[in-house]
Amino acid sequence: MDRILEVKGITKKVRGRYLLQEVTFDVFLGEICGLLGPNGAGKTTLIRLLTGLIRPTAGSIRVMGADVQRERGQALRQMGAIVENPVFFPYMSGRQNLINLALLDPHLTEAKRQSRVEEVLEVVGLAGRADDKVGTYSLGMKQRLGIAQALLGDPKVIILDEPANGLDPIGMRQLREIILKLNQEAGITFLISSHLLDEIQRICTQLVVLNEGKVVWQGATKELAREGELEEAFVELVSR
Amino acid sequence: MIHLLAAEWYRLWKRKLIWAMVLALPLAAFASATYYQGANASVSPDLPQYAVVGNFPVLAIAEMIYFFDLLLIALVATIWTEEIRSGQLRMVLLRISDFHRIWWAKIGVLLGTVLLLLLLYLGCSYVAGYFLLPHTEQFPLFYRAGQVGVWEGMWYNLQYYGIAYLTLVSFAGFLILMGSICRTVTGALGAGMSFLLFSFMYPYVAGYFIPLIGEEVYQKIFFSSLPMIQWEGIVHLLSDHSTGAGWMVGILLLYPLLFGLPAMLLLSRKDQWY
């Protein structure tokens, strides 16, 4: 199986405190991998490291073989991401926000840029509201626009940080459908961090459980959630 | 890099703030020309203060340079502080391989925009002067013997605007550091305004100590203040007998080096985004 994401011995120490310690796991092509953990487990720190926004104290991260620190450009080309909540420029419309981000892609010509923006707007179901200012969007629409921007560069893997946070049931359902569709039809691999067990159980095939900066469990979702009791298994893991 | 510049430029010009600035400039030029039209009644046409088409751009910018200081403060607070602190920049950072580039792109867009606004104001002041002020073939300039013609006057005006631009570039050095450090837009605006206020005040305070420090030291203190260079320094630099040129050029270079370099290091540090 093709290894898309390779996280090896990642440690992050800030002001003498370990936020992550020796985190090691792999994500393979076509998987939807859930990064599960209670608040403060280090999920967002790990995602910032995965996207190269911060440097690890030790260890390495590779995206399709490219080191995120040393071959950042190459690694980023394979990746789309939403880190924390999707913050857009509120004075621009959804379409203008996407055009602005697409301008940063040197591989897109003017014509391709326009068509790619329209394409991703269609995928996330925002074509009808694309000319409205992002400031008027609901959280669910911002999340979908976040996925649209992640799709712009035609990535192999998309990393989402707590995408279901604050969404109403309809927003969660729409988001879930988009993720599953992209995974099944476009073959995009996902790494999704969350503390919402139900959501994770519904879409993720693999799980990495973090607690206090360490990986406490990894494997197939069904292995952890025997007979549908993911919550109990999770609580047991993080209470050890 | 060109893509990053294009994206920064695209974003800036989607803001209402920048269009408000653009629209304010012709209004300001016409308001200033109207004021000078009235003021000319009590000024001799032999004096450089007497406004005609040829010298009006300099008289107009001398009045308005502090407005440009305020524009610069507002631009830095929005381009730097707002984008960094709100997390808006994160999606941009996820697409660039070297964080230094974002710094240079922002500098390029900021300084390019200020230059454009300054040139627009120069053009507007010629137009306003053409419609509202006397047309003379010769006119006097500050601290210069004799009179100049239209073309020589235009060259003087361009030099004046060029130096005014350099003072704004120098001020931008300080503002960029503040814009990178401050946690809120209000903080960045406050830091910029406080700097201006302080720079206005300390030369006046130093004036009380002339008997102690002497005229030469006082002049150096006076022209270490950017607003004072803008107010009096530029005409001194362009006078027949320019004094203190080296000092003022040194000050103009000092601000970007002293404040701009730490700002670049701060913004390009990866864990800044932690």
Side-chain angles (χ1 to χ4, degrees):
Chain A
M1 249 175 127
D2 292 340
R3 190 179 286 149
I4 295 280
L5 210 57
E6 194 180 344
V7 180
K8 204 184 269 180
I10 283 291
T11 296
K12 180 68 182 173
K13 193 178 171 185
V14 176
R15 291 184 205 101
R17 192 174 142 245
Y18 283 98
L19 302 180
L20 292 171
Q21 275 188 73
E22 290 287 327
V23 172
T24 299
F25 65 91
D26 295 325
V27 179
F28 293 91
L29 183 70
E31 282 181 357
I32 302 182
C33 179
L35 187 60
L36 203 56
N39 291 334
K43 300 186 296 290
T44 299
T45 303
L46 181 57
I47 284 182
R48 284 171 175 167
L49 286 158
L50 290 170
T51 50
L53 289 176
I54 55 174
R55 289 176 212 271
T57 308
S60 69
I61 296 163
R62 289 179 173 274
V63 182
M64 298 199 63
D67 189 285
V68 169
Q69 293 299 322
R70 282 175 294 170
E71 301 153 289
R72 184 173 158 77
Q74 208 184 323
L76 290 180
R77 268 200 294 280
Q78 318 289 341
M79 186 201 294
I82 305 177
V83 181
E84 291 185 87
N85 43 347
V87 185
F88 288 96
F89 301 98
Y91 50 87
M92 295 199 290
S93 69
R95 182 179 277 116
Q96 287 169 340
N97 265 281
L98 294 180
I99 290 171
N100 183 240
L101 294 171
L103 277 170
L104 296 165
D105 189 340
H107 305 289
L108 288 177
T109 59
E110 171 70 30
K112 273 189 191 168
R113 194 180 302 133
Q114 293 291 342
S115 64
R116 185 67 189 147
V117 166
E118 297 311 318
E119 214 175 298
V120 296
L121 280 168
E122 281 294 336
V123 170
V124 300
L126 279 177
R129 294 285 306 273
D131 290 321
D132 293 354
K133 293 261 190 294
V134 168
T136 67
Y137 281 17
S138 67
L139 185 59
M141 289 166 75
K142 283 180 189 164
Q143 286 289 7
R144 283 190 277 150
L145 190 63
I147 293 188
Q149 66 79 29
L151 284 170
L152 278 172
D154 203 9
K156 297 282 182 293
V157 58
I158 292 181
I159 297 172
L160 304 176
D161 188 9
E162 308 268 9
N165 253 8
L167 291 186
D168 61 22
I170 297 168
M172 281 166 102
R173 187 176 178 170
Q174 286 172 334
L175 190 70
R176 187 166 60 236
E177 284 169 359
I178 291 169
I179 292 170
L180 289 171
K181 188 177 158 194
L182 288 169
N183 176 254
Q184 285 156 15
E185 292 175 14
I188 295 174
T189 304
F190 280 87
L191 175 69
I192 303 169
S193 91
S194 185
H195 58 263
L196 301 174
L197 303 177
D198 186 45
E199 231 8 71
I200 286 284
Q201 192 171 7
R202 280 176 187 231
I203 55 173
C204 295
T205 49
Q206 296 290 314
L207 282 182
V208 173
V209 183
L210 272 184
N211 189 36
E212 294 177 351
K214 293 175 186 165
V215 174
V216 291
W217 193 88
Q218 56 183 310
T221 309
K222 58 186 176 195
E223 280 176 39
L224 187 63
R226 274 177 241 106
E227 295 167 24
E229 294 166 350
L230 182 65
E231 187 178 316
E232 272 179 38
F234 174 73
V235 170
E236 198 188 315
L237 272 174
V238 298
S239 316
R240 275 178 195 166
Chain B
M1 187 67 189
I2 195 79
H3 294 91
L4 198 50
L5 270 169
E8 286 286 328
W9 187 262
Y10 179 90
R11 256 191 344 260
L12 178 63
W13 288 86
K14 290 288 175 211
R15 286 181 182 270
K16 283 182 186 152
L17 173 75
I18 192 77
W19 289 104
M21 288 175 179
V22 168
L23 291 175
L25 293 178
L27 296 176
F30 272 89
S32 184
T34 309
Y35 164 78
Y36 274 103
Q37 208 177 20
N40 272 353
S42 54
V43 178
S44 161
D46 300 334
L47 292 173
Q49 287 91 337
Y50 185 84
V52 295
V53 183
N55 73 354
F56 176 64
V58 160
L59 294 172
I61 190 68
E63 294 288 325
M64 284 288 288
I65 189 73
Y66 303 127
F67 177 68
F68 276 89
D69 287 335
L70 297 177
L71 293 189
L72 194 60
I73 295 173
L75 281 174
V76 172
T78 48
I79 295 178
W80 254 263
T81 318
E82 188 188 326
E83 289 198 359
I84 295 170
R85 298 300 170 194
S86 66
Q88 290 168 357
L89 208 56
R90 212 180 287 130
M91 290 205 190
V92 175
L93 292 168
L94 288 172
R95 290 173 159 79
I96 56 172
S97 53
D98 181 357
F99 288 2
H100 279 96
R101 288 185 185 177
I102 191 88
W103 197 86
W104 288 113
K106 282 192 176 293
I107 292 272
V109 167
L110 177 76
L111 298 184
T113 303
V114 172
L115 181 63
L116 201 68
L117 293 175
L118 213 51
L119 289 174
L120 178 68
Y121 189 66
L122 174 67
C124 289
S125 56
Y126 264 113
V127 173
Y130 182 84
F131 285 111
L132 298 174
L133 296 170
H135 295 226
T136 56
E137 286 190 6
Q138 298 272 312
F139 52 88
L141 296 173
F142 288 99
Y143 303 117
R144 283 206 176 179
Q147 298 208 337
V148 294
V150 174
W151 293 109
E152 199 183 339
M154 191 179 275
W155 173 234
Y156 179 89
N157 292 345
L158 281 172
Q159 288 179 87
Y160 194 102
Y161 273 71
I163 299 170
Y165 177 64
L166 291 180
T167 65
L168 291 167
V169 171
S170 194
F171 185 31
F174 170 80
L175 290 174
I176 287 164
L177 179 64
M178 289 300 114
S180 309
I181 291 173
C182 290
R183 300 252 156 209
T184 61
V185 170
T186 315
L189 292 172
M193 302 285 271
S194 305
F195 177 86
L196 270 189
L197 205 62
F198 176 71
S199 301
F200 274 120
M201 279 177 65
Y202 79 80
Y204 281 106
V205 174
Y208 290 104
F209 297 97
I210 293 175
L212 277 174
I213 58 178
E215 184 63 34
E216 199 181 326
V217 173
Y218 170 70
Q219 284 297 318
K220 288 202 162 140
I221 293 173
F222 189 87
F223 286 123
S224 66
S225 158
L226 287 179
M228 294 308 161
I229 294 177
Q230 292 174 330
W231 182 39
E232 284 197 9
I234 302 175
V235 282
H236 276 286
L237 284 170
L238 293 174
S239 69
D240 284 336
H241 307 289
S242 163
T243 52
W247 175 259
M248 281 188 259
V249 170
I251 291 294
L252 292 181
L253 287 172
L254 185 70
Y255 278 88
L257 290 176
L258 199 64
F259 300 111
L261 282 180
M264 185 179 81
L265 294 174
L266 198 69
L267 195 68
S268 56
R269 203 181 61 190
K270 281 199 173 178
D271 282 9
Q272 162 83 359
W273 316 107
Y274 186 71

